[in-house]
Amino acid sequence: MPMPTTHTHARTDLTAPRVPSLPAAGKSLVRISRNRREIQYVVLSAIASMATERPQMFRSFLADFFIKATDPSFCRTLKLRILTALTDSANVTQVLRELQTYVKHSD
């Protein structure tokens, strides 16, 4: 009669919690934000909140937060909050250029 065997996997660092990759989480949220307006509002609200604490999650997706002519006003407001949170010395010129375009063509 075969005896059951126990397989164990040793984990060397038991104190460190497993944290998902922040850039991957940011990428997923940005992708979801391209959905319907109702979903877009909820996701952009979450991104705006997260971007104030961890802007590095979303900096590589800066252009995704540029205002589009078809964006409803509530999404425009959230995108402006996000752009403000993501602005640093490396991308300030790009953000200012976008804001100038927005001011010129805003309705």
Side-chain angles (χ1 to χ4, degrees):
M1 174 178 220
M3 296 297 281
T5 58
T6 305
H7 297 282
T8 59
H9 299 282
R11 191 170 154 204
T12 57
D13 184 9
L14 297 175
T15 59
R18 298 193 122 187
V19 179
S21 171
L22 290 180
K27 182 178 181 179
S28 297
L29 286 170
V30 170
R31 188 177 64 243
I32 294 169
S33 75
R34 299 179 189 133
N35 216 317
R36 293 186 324 239
R37 288 182 177 192
E38 298 82 8
I39 295 170
Q40 188 178 25
Y41 175 76
V42 172
V43 174
L44 286 175
S45 296
I47 291 172
S49 176
M50 294 170 78
T52 58
E53 296 293 321
R54 292 195 166 101
Q56 68 277 11
M57 284 179 65
F58 302 102
R59 280 208 178 104
S60 60
F61 307 106
L62 186 71
D64 288 293
F65 303 112
F66 288 171
I67 311 298
K68 297 182 183 94
T70 57
D71 284 339
S73 62
F74 59 86
C75 286
R76 291 178 189 181
T77 303
L78 287 169
K79 285 183 174 184
L80 288 171
R81 276 184 50 203
I82 294 166
L83 284 173
T84 303
L86 299 182
T87 303
D88 64 3
S89 60
N91 63 21
V92 68
T93 304
Q94 185 181 10
V95 172
L96 283 175
R97 203 173 323 125
E98 172 62 20
L99 293 176
Q100 287 171 340
T101 304
Y102 176 65
V103 169
K104 286 180 186 176
H105 300 349
S106 181
D107 47 8

